[in-house]
Amino acid sequence: MTAKLKKIFISSLFISSSFISLSIFSQELSESQINLLRENPELISEVSALDSISALESTAIVEGEDKSVDDNIMIEEKFGRFGFDYIKSIPTSISSTSDLPVPNDYRISLGDKLRIILTGGKRASYDLKVTLDGSILFPELGLVNIFNESLSDVRKKIKALVDISYVGTDVSVSLLELSAKKVNIIGAVKNPGTYIVNPFSTASTVLAYSGGFEDYASLRSIKILRDGKEINFDLYQLLIYGNRENDLNIQQGDTILVNSTTNFVEIKGSINRPFIYEYKNNESLEDLILHALGFTQKANRKNISITYLDSDLNLIKMKEVSFENKVDLSVIKNLLALEVFSIESSELASVRVTGPLENQGYFNIPKSKMLSDLIPDLKFSNIVNPFIGVVQFEKFSRLFSLNDIDTQQIELKDNYEILFFSKEDDVLNNGRLFLNSKNLITDYMLRVFGASEDRFETNFPYFGKATALDVINFFGIDDENIISDKTTFVSPKDNLVITENFETLSFTARPKNNLSFRRLDSEVITVQVLGETSITGTFILDSEATLADLYSLTGGLKTSADENIVVFERESVRERNLENVKKANRQINESLLRLNNEGNLIESSYVQGLYSDLDYVPGRISGDFSQKNIQTNSNFYLQDGDSLFIPKKINTFSVIGEVYNNSTFVYNNDIDLVEAIKISGGYKKNALKRDVYVIRANGFIEKPRGLFRKNIKIYAGDTIVVPADPSLGSEFLRDILPLTSLLSNVAFTAAALDNLKQ
């Protein structure tokens, strides 16, 4: 290469190198330039010298100053997101200092210079540079490849080589000069690419070479890709908590990947460092407040507003929470903002108003002190729920409606809070509601049974006056599919059931109200409810109604109800039993007529006594139909003529049949079958002891079983039946045993039900 050509090439390299250092693009040399450097290694030192001269000309070094911190070009851009301004400058050099301690795990790079000192049998000192092929030329010993090996491993390798080459010789290996590192920076950065960086750079400092973060960059999901492994780096751990555990020193060939995210929340108000922060899905409200360095002195920790997008990402919502309530943010997927309000003087702002309003905030109490006079000053959005609002303070709670001015006659006092809700809100899950406010809303929820192809049941939060049309419009129910005059309103507190046209049906809020719409294509059934429910009587229901639907209409059980015992009877079952009884009666009557004609009056009298008292045939279906058995009730469809009876709490049991004392007794936990027979006077002579059975309160039958007739436990509401022994009668009586047994069992079942209903 001619001297002139060499000068031109060196100048081009210098200009290219300087341009690359100052530019925001990748620092790769062309393949032809690399090949030329390999053929002319002396060019590297010349370029380095020129670069050093340029650096000296442009920078004045103050004596004692640590130049391991690079010279910088300031970036003027300001970021609203926390940590994005951490990269304030772009490095213009890759200088390093040799007087800093080098860790044993430091990886040897191309261009590093080692000092090797031999003492003892052989005395020598060598300054050896790592060449482009990754080796050093050890005089007399040859090439030693050490590229990308740790300093500790290099020392061991050279010591082993010296030990086998020289006798009684010790060796010392140290780093004299460090070369720059080549790393890749990719992902959500301004200028992704490959960079030559300071050898002492860490993950956090090397990011400056890329020119800064994009607006969508995640500072908390940065990955260091090294030798096929991923090392996670959360920059917040360094910026907020000073934790450098994963801020690793960069090694040759590392790749820094900055991921993207949309998890940004603006934290503002009475906190020490308002900013937009990145959050992780598993972080708590406390974590977010800590990111912002905590509350200010005037922060109201019970008054924090959270703004978020709903699950469909089409509506911005707000909820008020208290810091003390340990809010679970994991259920809120799309946080937008978090505002901590200040504790305000009551002289400046007496009541606080929140909800879907344009002017939510603090308001002075009107002169009249009435809520009705404050409402005209509020600017509601078109999504406000007009049927429910709350005024609360400590243990004071009142409900009101924008549609009913009579409910707005609430006297306001200092520090009262007024809450409005949007139509889409899950009102009961509003974080600002006090417990007594939640309880009030729960009581006044109107349970609505809808009329659509898919039957639905929902809750309508309302207070004051409303109409069936209000409910139809609120839920968007298609009134063309409704039987207009079969709309039913139930008010348990008033023991009121109204079936009326939905166009005229109006009602006023009372606890535990229900409203049912009927479909045009649905049949209607009637079901009777008796006993200890809030509402008793005959209910008109959709033919597809379940027992769970019926329970919903009854307004719940009274405190006197025995919730574990329910008598459910079905008309079709009763009719079938009645038909069997009538058939048995006809056959027995025919037999009695024959007995009378034959003059056998004794047997005639006995048979007549078996069924003469049978004045009611039950249609009970046995099973657990208690209100708490939700799974069964939700799948048990009602039929026309069904009846439900809930008895009062039962503390008795009964013994009937062939004992000396057919009676009802006070129950105690120690009663078993043997003891029950004993206190009823014992068995009569004609008792059929082996066929004694118990009719449980739920209608099931249980008999002592086993060779030794194992004793069984008796419970409240049970009826013990002792049948007669038919073998003691005549041959005629034995012939009609199936008929008399049927009548007896029906009679015993009726008696057991009668005991429950007393």
Side-chain angles (χ1 to χ4, degrees), residues 65-98:
E65 183 179 7
D66 183 0
K67 289 302 294 177
S68 64
V69 180
D70 297 321
D71 301 321
N72 301 302
I73 295 176
M74 298 303 296
I75 300 174
E76 296 298 330
E77 186 175 358
K78 295 289 184 180
F79 291 91
R81 291 174 170 81
F82 173 77
F84 277 50
D85 59 352
Y86 174 69
I87 300 177
K88 293 182 178 178
S89 58
I90 301 175
T92 60
S93 73
I94 54 173
S95 60
S96 63
T97 59
S98 59

Side-chain angles (χ1 to χ4, degrees), residues 655-665 680 684 720 722 748:
V655 183
I656 59 178
E658 300 305 308
V659 292
Y660 286 101
N661 183 17
N662 279 249
S663 185
T664 298
F665 302 92
S680 64
K684 288 183 178 180
I720 301 166
V722 182
F748 290 142

Side-chain angles (χ1 to χ4, degrees), residues 82 218 221 241 272 292 403 437 458 500 600 631 639 658 757:
F82 173 77
S218 169
S221 182
Y241 306 106
N272 288 314
N403 284 352
S437 299
T458 189
E500 194 175 304
N600 197 341
Q631 183 174 1
Q639 294 182 9
E658 300 305 308
K757 295 180 179 180

Side-chain angles (χ1 to χ4, degrees), residues 598-616:
E598 294 174 357
N600 197 341
L601 299 179
I602 296 177
E603 290 186 354
S604 173
S605 175
Y606 176 77
V607 174
Q608 184 68 36
L610 290 176
Y611 67 97
S612 60
D613 294 330
L614 191 59
D615 57 357
Y616 172 72

